[in-house]
Amino acid sequence: MAAEVVMPKLGMAMKEGTVSTWNKKVGDSVSKGDMIASINSEKIEMEIEAPQDGVILDILVQEDVGVPPGTIICYVGNPNEQLTEQNSSANELQAPKNEVAAAISLEEPPANAASSKKSKETVRISPIARKIAESENINIETIQGTGPKGRITKADVEKVLAERASESSPQTVERDNPAINKETLPVAGMRKVIAGRMHNSLLNSAQLTINMKADVTDLLSLQREIKEVIQQRHSVKISLTDFIARAVVLSLQEHKQMNSAYIDNEIQLYNHVHLGMAVALENGLVVPVVQHAEKMSLVELAAEIKTRAADARQGQLSTDRMQGSTFTITNLGAYGVEYFTPVLNPPETGILGVGATEDVPMYKGDDLQRRNVLPLSLTFDHRVLDGAPAANFLGTIKQYLEQPILLLL
């Protein structure tokens, strides 16, 4: 019997997933577990596996087309198997609400209008493409659809917009000068998802970043004292990032408003801490999530962070380990960056940016000492909380880092 392959839900705020690449075509044989397509959404790019042995009977969603989670994107079944009427009915039921084959009928003008023949015809267009066309005042009858059966896709509308912008802008000297060499990189796959998600994050939230520095001299000393014992007993190499993560988890439990999400004009406060740890990959960025970090000791948290990061770099991170984060940490210290402005991972309220530790002269009482200072950058959603409570949260993190014994309790 034919098996449905659906677009998975990759995050609690996910509204759309895109098929970036089909590795198989209709009629190709597949074995259970074969990678048949790549999909992406919300900074995440993953492979879709064949649910059973058989052949690709039908592909319903083309490349670069976005559809809601739960949408059927293809069928896998036995060779020469015919899709049943039930399968077809399911496709028709889902068509109006996704990118597969949605169609609209243009409003019919009066019957005596002689030139209204085309406006009475049905124009096949995806909901997203229609929304963009309406907002940009584009006549959909003039768009050449490249989707199945001439359906107008989001890419078709974006092409029209690009052509309109090109026609309205003056020719530059660079464009006309053949002596100037330049390289153009397509924005696709994970890069395209990240670009869109970060742009939407800035458009749809009131983001503000505040900075603070913490004296981590005693923390680094404690790390040196206990790292060998922890590695011998637990086979875990404890790092500064692990201490920072522990400080963040404890601080979130004291400042619940920061451990929240802004969803549908409501602030949802969480009692659990699902900690996102940004990991840079060769082709983009992923955010593995450590679920229920509030229940873990420092050593347990360190082990989970390293396991998630390793899985992410090896492309073995499962979908459930990339969703549901309530707060995120991103660290650019390894690149020599001090303070920076991290962008929120929606719908989260906060994200902590960690910079590079610096040796500085600092007075401790009357004594001038060499101390280690860690720059911290907190971006928060001003719709959820104001500057003072955000500063208090960052100050609590600073307190834990400067009194590291508290992180072991």
Side-chain angles (χ1 to χ4, degrees):
M1 181 177 177
E4 300 173 350
V5 180
V6 302
M7 176 66 68
K9 188 173 181 64
L10 304 180
M12 64 180 179
M14 174 183 170
K15 296 182 179 179
E16 181 183 281
T18 301
V19 178
S20 52
T21 306
W22 279 107
N23 301 326
K24 302 290 184 179
K25 60 182 184 296
V26 174
D28 284 356
S29 298
V30 295
S31 299
K32 183 177 181 180
D34 284 353
M35 301 301 178
I36 59 176
S38 297
I39 59 135
N40 59 67
S41 178
E42 303 177 3
K43 292 188 179 181
I44 301 171
E45 184 161 338
M46 65 174 292
E47 301 285 341
I48 295 292
E49 300 180 357
Q52 64 183 30
D53 296 344
V55 300
I56 304 295
L57 296 177
D58 194 10
I59 290 177
L60 306 179
V61 179
Q62 303 304 310
E63 292 181 0
D64 295 324
V65 173
V67 294
T71 299
I72 302 171
I73 61 175
C74 79
Y75 284 100
V76 177
N78 298 321
N80 301 320
E81 180 178 353
Q82 298 296 318
L83 294 177
T84 65
E85 291 184 3
Q86 184 178 1
N87 296 137
S88 300
S89 299
N91 294 344
E92 292 173 1
L93 287 173
Q94 71 172 358
K97 60 181 180 180
N98 60 42
E99 293 272 357
V100 178
I104 63 169
S105 296
L106 298 178
E107 180 181 354
E108 292 191 14
N112 60 358
S115 61
S116 64
K117 181 178 180 180
K118 186 172 183 178
S119 64
K120 293 181 181 180
E121 297 176 351
T122 298
V123 177
R124 301 179 64 83
I125 182 170
S126 71
I128 292 178
R130 175 175 56 173
K131 183 177 180 180
I132 296 174
E134 290 175 350
S135 65
E136 297 293 337
N137 197 25
I138 299 174
N139 184 355
I140 60 176
E141 295 178 13
T142 64
I143 304 175
Q144 181 65 43
T146 61
K149 298 181 181 180
R151 187 183 75 252
I152 299 172
T153 67
K154 178 182 176 182
D156 297 328
V157 180
E158 290 175 340
K159 181 180 179 182
V160 173
L161 288 174
E163 292 173 350
R164 177 193 287 180
S166 177
E167 291 173 359
S168 61
S169 62
Q171 296 293 316
T172 63
V173 175
E174 179 181 1
R175 184 181 300 176
D176 294 335
N177 189 347
I180 297 178
N181 294 321
K182 61 181 180 180
E183 181 181 3
T184 301
L185 299 177
V187 180
M190 184 179 290
R191 184 75 267 148
K192 184 176 181 180
V193 174
I194 294 174
R197 185 161 174 77
M198 293 297 95
H199 181 64
N200 289 334
S201 174
L202 292 171
L203 286 178
N204 298 317
S205 59
Q207 301 192 26
L208 178 65
T209 301
I210 57 177
N211 302 311
M212 193 175 288
K213 55 188 177 183
D215 183 351
V216 293
T217 308
D218 296 339
L219 174 58
L220 294 176
S221 177
L222 176 64
Q223 178 196 5
R224 288 190 292 269
E225 290 179 15
I226 67 176
K227 67 177 183 179
E228 290 187 8
V229 174
I230 291 178
Q231 190 162 6
Q232 290 175 358
R233 291 190 177 184
H234 305 282
S235 300
V236 175
K237 186 176 180 180
I238 204 81
S239 69
L240 177 60
T241 299
D242 302 324
F243 283 101
I244 296 170
R246 174 68 172 162
V248 167
V249 171
L250 293 175
S251 299
L252 287 171
Q253 292 179 281
E254 296 182 30
H255 301 267
K256 302 240 180 229
Q257 202 169 2
M258 187 63 72
N259 190 44
S260 64
Y262 193 97
I263 302 175
D264 296 332
N265 294 320
E266 292 183 343
I267 300 172
Q268 298 183 6
L269 303 178
Y270 300 111
N271 293 321
H272 61 269
V273 177
H274 289 351
L275 189 63
M277 301 293 296
V279 176
L281 304 179
E282 184 177 351
N283 62 336
L285 180 78
V286 295
V287 184
V289 180
V290 179
Q291 280 88 359
H292 291 289
E294 80 281 359
K295 297 181 179 180
M296 299 179 183
S297 66
L298 173 65
V299 174
E300 291 170 336
L301 183 60
E304 285 296 311
I305 290 173
K306 287 168 177 55
T307 299
R308 300 284 180 270
D311 289 344
R313 295 188 179 99
Q314 295 169 11
Q316 299 177 351
L317 200 62
S318 60
T319 304
D320 63 318
R321 297 301 186 186
M322 293 187 286
Q323 57 186 349
S325 57
T326 61
F327 189 91
T328 296
I329 298 175
T330 178
N331 192 334
L332 292 179
Y335 301 94
V337 174
E338 295 181 356
Y339 296 104
F340 60 103
T341 306
V343 179
L344 286 177
N345 183 24
E348 296 171 17
T349 294
I351 179 171
L352 180 70
V354 180
T357 305
E358 182 182 9
D359 290 344
V360 299
M362 182 183 295
Y363 276 102
K364 298 292 287 185
D366 294 331
D367 298 329
L368 184 63
Q369 301 180 9
R370 179 179 179 177
R371 309 293 291 183
N372 302 113
V373 172
L374 179 70
L376 302 171
S377 304
L378 174 69
T379 296
F380 64 95
D381 192 337
H382 217 317
R383 298 175 302 173
V384 177
L385 73 168
D386 298 323
N392 287 335
F393 168 73
L394 193 55
T396 301
I397 295 176
K398 171 185 169 73
Q399 180 182 4
Y400 276 116
L401 295 177
E402 293 184 345
Q403 301 179 48
I405 193 65
L406 299 175
L407 301 175
L408 304 179
L409 302 179

